[in-house]
Amino acid sequence: TILPSPVEVARSLPELWFDRALTRNLVTSFGRVLAGFAVAVAVAFPLGLFMGAFTQVKAAFNPLTVFAAYLPIPTLVPLTLSLFGTGEAQKVIFLAIAFVIYLIPLFVAAVDSVDDIYLKTGYTLGATRSHTVRKVLLAISWPDIYQAMRLGFGVGWSYILLAEMVDIGKGLGGIIMVSQRRGPREHIYLALLVIVAIAFLTDRLWVWLGKKLFPYREARR
């Protein structure tokens, strides 16, 4: 009497696909996740690399990253709304901040995991500090950095509902919010299934690309 049956959910798919423009809303949500991820990587990647490579930079930014790690992500919604309104910029910035909070510790850990023997060898051969960062730390930690990016991209799909809970005209989150208030409830479950399916497919794409970029990792296993 409360929840729709699986048959009712399946029967509501044509209405969701045609009347509520499922494909267009999916593209909108995917674009927001992709834009937020791109902004986050542009910030988190150099900061995480320098934090892992230089103890002074790590000491300066580590308290801020520790504070951010304990920050409840939903509290960023009213903050970004007050700064950027309800437009597209608010959704992208909200996702970018969530991505940055997740990615920076992983990037730092990837650089920190490089064995000191490689650094000592580089310095012994006359490498400068910049050469050591680019040719040793970054080169060796690339697979772990890529893995961190793969995991981080999936996080965006768990926050897309928070990003689209206001100004709910577009996006999968908008479909879920409208369906919760006005119905049909079947569309809530369908939209959630679509989010899970897209997150899974994009993760498989990350895995496939990782095998192409770092085949030696697979051979080592």
Side-chain angles (χ1 to χ4, degrees):
T1 58
I2 299 176
L3 301 178
S5 69
V7 174
E8 291 173 323
V9 172
R11 286 176 178 173
S12 69
L13 179 60
E15 180 185 356
L16 177 64
W17 187 279
F18 296 106
D19 298 344
R20 303 189 68 179
L22 174 63
T23 305
R24 185 170 66 246
N25 286 289
L26 172 60
V27 171
T28 298
S29 294
F30 189 85
R32 288 167 175 169
V33 173
L34 193 62
F37 184 76
V39 173
V41 170
V43 174
F45 175 71
L47 182 57
L49 176 61
F50 286 123
M51 287 179 65
F54 304 104
T55 55
Q56 298 91 339
V57 178
K58 186 175 183 179
F61 286 95
N62 194 57
L64 183 61
T65 57
V66 171
F67 169 78
Y70 291 103
L71 184 67
I73 299 299
T75 61
L76 298 174
V77 175
L79 175 63
T80 54
L81 283 173
S82 63
L83 294 175
F84 302 99
T86 60
E88 200 69 22
Q90 181 268 334
K91 298 170 179 56
V92 173
I93 295 301
F94 167 77
L95 290 171
I97 295 174
F99 278 129
V100 167
I101 292 174
Y102 185 85
L103 287 174
I104 286 181
L106 296 181
F107 287 163
V108 174
V111 178
D112 280 340
S113 65
V114 176
D115 199 317
D116 287 342
I117 190 64
Y118 297 109
L119 299 176
K120 295 177 181 178
T121 302
Y123 287 129
T124 301
L125 296 174
T128 63
R129 181 65 65 89
S130 62
H131 281 120
T132 303
V133 173
R134 291 185 292 109
K135 302 295 185 179
V136 179
L137 287 176
L138 185 57
I140 296 176
S141 61
W142 259 126
D144 292 330
I145 291 175
Y146 180 87
Q147 180 70 9
M149 293 170 62
R150 171 200 165 192
L151 297 175
F153 190 80
V155 171
W157 291 105
S158 64
Y159 294 138
I160 191 65
L161 299 185
L162 292 174
E164 297 176 342
M165 67 184 300
V166 293
D167 187 25
I168 55 178
K170 296 182 294 183
L172 295 176
I175 290 178
I176 292 176
M177 298 301 294
V178 171
S179 300
Q180 180 186 6
R181 297 173 184 178
R182 306 175 189 173
R185 294 293 179 90
E186 291 85 350
H187 290 177
I188 297 176
Y189 302 98
L190 286 174
L192 291 175
L193 289 174
V194 170
I195 290 175
V196 172
I198 294 300
F200 175 78
L201 291 176
T202 53
D203 182 72
R204 293 298 92 191
L205 180 60
W206 279 96
V207 172
W208 174 82
L209 185 58
K211 291 180 180 179
K212 298 295 182 181
L213 294 175
F214 314 107
Y216 53 88
R217 298 271 291 202
E218 296 297 322
R220 189 180 302 173
R221 294 176 184 176

